[in-house]
Amino acid sequence: MSTGKGNPILRASNITKTFGNNTILHGVSVELAKGEIKILIGSSGGGKSTLLQCINCLVVPDSGEIEVDGMVIDITKKKDLYRLRQQVGMIFQDFNLFDHLTAIDNITIALRKVKKISREQATQRARQELEQVGLGDKQHLYPAQLSGGQKQRVAIARALAMDPKILLLDEPTSALDPTLVGEVISVIKRLAAKGMTMIMATHQMSLISTLADEILFMENGRIVEQGTPSVLLAKGNKSRTRGFCDSLNDLVGEEG
Amino acid sequence: MELSPFYQELFTSLNRGVVMSVALIVPSAIGGVIIGILAGVIRTFGGRFVRAVGDGYAAVFRGTPLVVQLFVIYFGLPNLGIYLSPYVAAVTGFMLCSGAYQSEYVRGALLSIKSGQYLGAQALGFTTFQTIFWIVVPQAVRRAIHGCGNEIIYLIKYSSLAFIVTCIELTGEGKTIATEYFRFTEVFMVIGVYYLLLVTIAMMILKRIEKTLYVPGFGRS
């Protein structure tokens, strides 16, 4: 995996966001090279979700610049935002599958309406993606008939069908029953192995330690620490990240 | 068994009336639902101006008696040079009135759709219009369907007000016979049975629609 080689595929610089009197992001900057995986950690309220949602402008930043694959996004232009979002896939904590559509139609509707692909081609593509996440046999089930892990896998398939250049994952396993976390993690790991560029907020130690090219520790709307896991998590390192991850490990220890 | 002249005449008239009633109800119900969805969407998502127009429409048509609305449409509009036949006037009035009520059911359903559904669509690159049209409205329709069905059943019964604008339907025909023979109780009881049948048929159709639209997670079929 290349770190910092060539031009970054995503550059978000100096992103600020304030809701009322509450400043959530104080000029945060993130860069991603192609194939790179960065992981956001930190306690809730630190601004991880807001940062991710600012990157694809689901929350429009107050200021800052976003550039995807060399194209600067004009965040005041709706057209630019729609184009940005087509190139940046997003996975949510609570899946956000369309409740009135079957697994396969959740995928085809975006292909047909946004990418204007024919129904036939869209169906074929959707079927492929569902098989990739191991849900080839669940195509015609509705979200209400799927387990949490299955829903998240459909959501991943849906995002991937759009051929995104980058994937944003906002705590993809946090809403899942512990027994279902594994199936989602293995799908994400497979994506990483295929070289998907990702930025992910997660508290899942197995993802942090095995996937991260870089860890970004966020607190009060700032990135307060960043570095590779091998450095930040090294024994004897007094980093905040290490302390945070230790407490995550302790939790797992207690539960297990 | 031969029916008495009274009943022969009664049933001939009521059958003629029921045909007119159905001719009033069907387009009014369909039009009402369409207007209701449009007005509901506008009142929920529209910009400030169109929303004010939508709210104004709903306030006027829910706030005034249908009788008054029909009077204005049939007897008032000619002053503006708009002449409607009794049938068209009645259907117009029913549609507008029913649409105003329907818009409230639709609006409630639209507001009940979770924000995650919008986020999910927006994140995929849907435009605001596409999100509303393809994701939010289809879900809201399923949530609103019971309320909308209720309004249609109510419409079946207030369609009898068509006689106000001289459009003679089921109730109007019956009333003529009742006055002629002076047998109000029998006539109106038979009319009641006719409406009961109409409503029963409507309920069966609505059930069928509910079944067709059924999706797991949106109530039972």
Side-chain angles (χ1 to χ4, degrees), chain A:
Chain A
M1 257 162 247
S2 61
T3 317
K5 256 186 250 160
N7 286 329
I9 195 156
L10 169 78
R11 181 184 296 160
S13 30
N14 271 316
I15 305 287
T16 60
K17 183 68 197 175
T18 302
F19 292 106
N21 298 328
N22 197 2
T23 302
I24 308 292
L25 296 175
H26 298 270
V28 177
S29 301
V30 187
E31 272 191 18
L32 272 177
K34 196 166 162 37
E36 197 178 18
I37 297 175
K38 294 204 177 182
I39 291 189
L40 292 169
I41 60 169
S43 23
S44 44
K48 303 184 303 280
S49 280
T50 311
L51 175 60
L52 289 176
Q53 298 202 346
C54 277
I55 290 176
N56 69 351
C57 291
L58 282 186
V59 171
V60 179
D62 297 334
S63 67
E65 202 178 78
I66 296 162
E67 190 183 319
V68 174
D69 209 7
M71 191 180 72
V72 179
I73 306 297
D74 181 348
I75 56 174
T76 60
K77 276 205 198 122
K78 279 204 162 165
K79 249 204 176 126
D80 268 30
L81 299 191
Y82 298 142
R83 197 152 11 118
L84 165 70
R85 292 178 191 144
Q86 284 183 46
Q87 301 184 28
V88 180
M90 182 151 204
I91 304 300
F92 299 89
Q93 182 174 347
D94 36 17
F95 331 123
N96 294 342
L97 290 184
F98 305 134
D99 292 332
H100 66 303
L101 296 175
T102 57
I104 194 157
D105 287 340
N106 258 278
I107 303 174
T108 54
I109 195 160
L111 292 172
R112 285 167 51 213
K113 303 307 167 195
V114 179
K115 292 216 152 181
K116 318 280 183 204
I117 292 175
S118 74
R119 180 188 288 267
E120 221 169 275
Q121 278 179 303
T123 308
Q124 205 178 352
R125 179 69 201 268
R127 213 172 276 151
Q128 261 173 24
E129 292 296 342
L130 281 176
E131 259 153 37
Q132 288 287 314
V133 297
L135 293 173
D137 55 335
K138 305 273 192 255
Q139 292 176 27
H140 300 298
L141 294 186
Y142 287 89
Q145 299 166 311
L146 297 170
S147 73
Q150 291 169 339
K151 280 189 237 187
Q152 193 61 294
R153 280 146 71 198
V154 173
I156 293 173
R158 182 174 74 173
L160 292 179
M162 302 295 284
D163 289 318
K165 293 177 175 156
I166 308 148
L167 208 52
L168 312 173
L169 300 100
D170 189 1
E171 306 209 18
T173 57
S174 300
L176 298 177
D177 191 288
T179 56
L180 303 175
V181 170
E183 59 189 72
V184 172
I185 288 186
S186 72
V187 167
I188 295 174
K189 286 190 171 167
R190 224 175 308 142
L191 279 181
K194 280 190 189 158
M196 189 74 204
T197 313
M198 294 191 263
I199 173 161
M200 165 160 48
T202 185
H203 289 158
Q204 205 68 46
M205 266 322 285
S206 67
L207 288 173
I208 301 173
S209 55
T210 59
L211 293 186
D213 292 313
E214 189 171 54
I215 297 175
L216 311 175
F217 186 87
M218 282 191 81
E219 197 175 59
N220 299 326
R222 292 190 176 84
I223 294 175
V224 293
E225 257 180 26
Q226 65 189 99
T228 60
S230 54
V231 173
L232 287 181
L233 300 179
K235 273 205 165 63
N237 191 328
K238 293 273 187 287
S239 68
R240 303 283 309 277
T241 307
R242 174 109 206 265
F244 187 80
C245 289
D246 280 349
S247 65
L248 291 180
N249 278 331
D250 289 349
L251 273 179
V252 174
E254 275 166 33
E255 270 175 17

